[in-house]
């Protein structure tokens, strides 16, 4: 292996030829990542260079330009930086069997940083990305939607939370709202996520009912003033997206609102996530609007919003 330890960007610029990088370029990337791992992860001044390397790697992967052996060698040069002691390592190893599990998502909400000094900088690097920032922004966005439902239905606001995950957004909202007449029906396919969220939201158990259920088998038995789902529909193909949306629309109470989160196709962290096999169906505003129209929603009842990072879009459907 070459002994290059500085960032290989200049080297990449000279030799970066698609479809296949030379063995020398692959060696230089391995050496660079080994160097970062040995120094205890990237410093903020190195983020931009590292992100450039990440985007090049992601592009090679999309184009099938790396052999499995090359990709394995590049990944393993990161050592413990891709163990489950880091969030990026958890994303890669998927200890709960799927990408975006409740534990990773709650580590994002809580800005988890490994207490191992040689790994902490990797978690800080992870959190510097737009995608985790967008996830954290979901909490206040959710609160604003719940608050709005409460104002519109002060006697009793019924909310359906599809794929409720760790329940952190509900916990934070209920901490602010207190014991107001806001009631959540929550659905998740992962029993461990439900147990975790139940414990987290134990103080508000009178306001929350959990259902352990796959959304594809779920048929709403009542109507809701707010139907919310974040971090779910961007795992669906267009066909599945529409299938689930069509089933939800009749459950909107008159004047109710349905809000579906979906990562934007402008997500700057897309390449980084792909390196850990965290694959989403990124969509544009127009695409989301079209999917709603395909389900029979009148254009006047569709709006698209986003959180401050501009990465998590929200499809709003007015009932
Ligand atoms: C990325 S997390 C989002 C959690 C939460 N909505 C949030 O934004 O914090 C995705 C959650 O969706 C759940 N999930 C994925 N596919 C599902 C399905 N088909 N039916 C029900 N839940 C599902 C997972 O178990 C996981 O808890």
């Amino acid at each position: 292996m070459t002994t290059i330890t500085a960032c290989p960007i200049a080297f990449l610029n000279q030799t970066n030829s698609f479809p296949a990088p030379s063995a020398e370029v692959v060696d230089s990337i391995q050496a660079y990542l080994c160097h970062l791992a040995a120094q205890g992860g990237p410093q903020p001044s190195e983020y931009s260079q590292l992100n450039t390397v990440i985007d090049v790697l992601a592009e090679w992967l999309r184009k099938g330009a790396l052999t499995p052996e090359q990709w394995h060698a590049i990944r393993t040069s990161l050592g413990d930086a891709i163990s489950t002691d880091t969030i990026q390592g958890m994303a890669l190893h998927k200890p709960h069997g799927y990408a975006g599990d409740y534990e990773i998502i709650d580590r994002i909400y809580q800005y988890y940083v490994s207490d191992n000094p040689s790994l902490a900088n990797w978690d800080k690097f992870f959190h510097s990305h737009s995608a985790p920032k967008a996830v954290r922004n979901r909490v206040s966005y959710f609160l604003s939607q719940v608050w709005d439902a409460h104002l519109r239905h002060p006697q009793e606001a019924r909310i359906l939370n599809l794929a409720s995950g760790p329940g952190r957004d509900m916990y934070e909202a209920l901490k602010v709202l207190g014991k107001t007449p806001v009631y959540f029906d929550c659905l998740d396919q992962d029993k461990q996520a439900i147990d975790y969220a139940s414990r987290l939201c134990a103080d508000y158990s009178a306001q929350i009912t959990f259902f352990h259920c796959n959304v594809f088998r779920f048929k709403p038995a009542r109507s809701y003033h707010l139907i919310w789902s974040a971090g779910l529909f961007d795992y669906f193909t267009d066909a599945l997206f529409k299938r689930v949306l069509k089933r939800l629309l009749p459950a909107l109470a008159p004047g109710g609102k349905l809000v579906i989160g979906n990562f934007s196709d402008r997500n700057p962290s897309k390449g980084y996530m792909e390196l850990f096999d965290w694959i989403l169906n990124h969509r544009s505003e127009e695409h989301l609007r079209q999917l709603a129209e395909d389900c029979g929603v009148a254009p006047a009842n569709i709006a698209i919003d986003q959180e401050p990072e501009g990465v998590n879009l929200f499809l709003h459907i007015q009932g």
Side-chain angles (χ1 to χ4, degrees), residues 21 54 68 85 87 114 171 204 211 214 232 242 274 279:
I54 283 170
D85 289 341
I87 307 188
S114 170
Y171 172 73
Y204 308 101
F211 297 93
N214 190 313
L232 178 69
K242 290 192 270 188
E274 284 173 2
I279 309 293

Side-chain angles (χ1 to χ4, degrees), residues 29 33 53-61 66 71 74 275:
I29 289 182
L33 296 177
V53 172
I54 283 170
D55 287 340
V56 169
L57 283 173
E59 190 60 13
W60 282 339
L61 282 177
L66 290 171
W71 180 221
I74 289 172
L275 294 195

Side-chain angles (χ1 to χ4, degrees), residues 53-117:
V53 172
I54 283 170
D55 287 340
V56 169
L57 283 173
E59 190 60 13
W60 282 339
L61 282 177
R62 276 177 218 130
K63 294 193 157 133
L66 290 171
T67 64
E69 294 74 27
Q70 283 176 316
W71 180 221
H72 179 75
I74 289 172
R75 260 185 188 172
T76 44
S77 59
L78 284 163
D80 284 348
I82 51 165
S83 71
T84 49
D85 289 341
T86 64
I87 307 188
Q88 62 186 17
M90 278 189 74
L92 174 66
H93 295 290
K94 302 177 181 51
H96 296 277
Y98 59 94
D101 66 64
Y102 71 93
E103 206 176 352
I104 289 184
I105 297 298
D106 210 30
R107 285 188 181 196
I108 292 175
Y109 284 133
Q110 298 200 82
Y111 204 95
Y112 164 91
V113 174
S114 170
D115 52 18
N116 179 338

Side-chain angles (χ1 to χ4, degrees), residues 96 98-106 108-109 135 138-139 142 161-170 187-194 211-218 228-236 244 278 280 312:
H96 296 277
Y98 59 94
D101 66 64
Y102 71 93
E103 206 176 352
I104 289 184
I105 297 298
D106 210 30
I108 292 175
Y109 284 133
V135 168
R138 286 209 292 248
V139 175
F142 178 70
N161 184 0
L162 280 181
S164 45
R168 181 69 54 184
D169 44 8
M170 276 184 310
L187 194 90
D188 204 286
Q189 65 166 8
D190 185 341
K191 180 70 169 62
Q192 282 184 284
I194 288 182
F211 297 93
H212 179 211
C213 177
N214 190 313
V215 73
F216 298 115
R217 283 192 274 279
F218 174 66
W228 164 271
S229 189
L232 178 69
F233 281 71
D234 27 24
Y235 291 84
F236 294 166
V244 177
W278 196 338
L280 298 179
N312 207 148

Side-chain angles (χ1 to χ4, degrees), residues 42 54 73 79 96 128 132 138 155 157 185 194 196 226 295:
I54 283 170
H96 296 277
S128 75
R138 286 209 292 248
Q155 302 297 318
D185 280 350
I194 288 182
Y196 184 94
L226 171 66
C295 293

